[in-house]
Amino acid sequence: MEELISYIQKAVLEISDALKFPDTSYSQNHNSTGDTQLKFDILSDEIITKTLTQCPSLKAIISEEKNEILTVNENAKYIVAYDPLDGSSLMDVNFAIGSIFGIYEQKPSAKNLKAAVYSMYGARLELVICEDTPKLYRLDKNNQFTFIKDLKMEEKGKINATGGTQKFWDEKHSKFIKSLFEENYRLRYSGAMVSDINQILLKGGGIFSYPATKDAPLGKLRAFFEVFPLAFIVEKAGGKTTNGNNQSLLDLEFDAIHATTPCFFGSKYEISKLLEFYNG
Ligand code: AHM
Ligand code: MG
């Protein structure tokens, strides 16, 4: 595992360097979810593929930017599912974005998730690596990742980040969000899931939602390389996750590698409040 994580660190450093002088324009291509790919989405995917495929313990990769699983070594142990550049639609406005990695043993299933990692390309380069507990690292002057602290969530937070087109929310979601604001929660939503969840983790609590909507009844965010890795980190930090139906996100099973799900990540208080609104 340490070896694989060191290859992830190498890829993240290369993406971070490339972000200093990036081409922020769109390509002519679409990924399997139908998004038009930025040239930088494609470049980040290539950097990660090129780097991780040199790792002896890598069996296969699954990427938001590839239609199919890429098998590298049938006899190796780990499958890495990744979103090379989460929040890439914010590149033009220079907001913080990141890469998300889920490390699965043998089969891509939440039950086989052994570790999750995300990078934050913000004012500085940071990395959260989670096997048993989420650990925050920051790139230092010597180009090394230095350990900063363990991430832990409180029972209740103050931040509310919720996505999806509001006129397509259903009534229970609208009522839930209204009740959070009535309890003095403050809106914090950038449009990059990785940054929004990073903020909740670093501030110690709150809730991030991407609900089912009338235009996207199965949600927008992708299970294997967005939802599961961040759910793994939030739960290991002492938070809770759900799909809105009393199930932890990590109990869900999908066959399709680009499957999506409604998803909610937060402190215990906000998730139990959400489940009351959703399930009575
Ligand atoms: P991306 O991986 O193509 O950037 O898409 C995922 C992003 C998430 O980071 C974010 O939460 C969501 O899409 C934002 O969607 P919306 O603009 O509908 O709020
Ligand atoms: Mg994404």
Side-chain angles (χ1 to χ4, degrees), residues 200-215:
I200 288 168
L201 282 161
L202 271 282
K203 298 289 185 194
I207 182 163
F208 175 91
S209 330
Y210 207 103
T213 54
K214 291 190 187 74
D215 58 334

Side-chain angles (χ1 to χ4, degrees), residues 66-119:
K66 295 188 202 307
N67 293 334
E68 308 288 340
I69 296 194
L70 175 71
T71 301
V72 180
N73 173 3
E74 201 55 72
N75 300 320
K77 196 169 174 185
Y78 296 115
I79 299 174
V80 178
Y82 62 87
D83 178 349
L85 204 63
D86 184 60
S88 58
S89 67
L90 299 174
M91 263 198 93
D92 56 350
V93 294
N94 201 16
F95 272 21
I97 52 182
S99 306
I100 309 172
F101 303 85
I103 303 176
Y104 300 85
E105 193 170 317
Q106 294 303 344
K107 243 189 104 202
S109 152
K111 290 186 179 54
N112 299 344
L113 201 47
K114 297 296 170 203
V117 176
Y118 69 81
S119 58

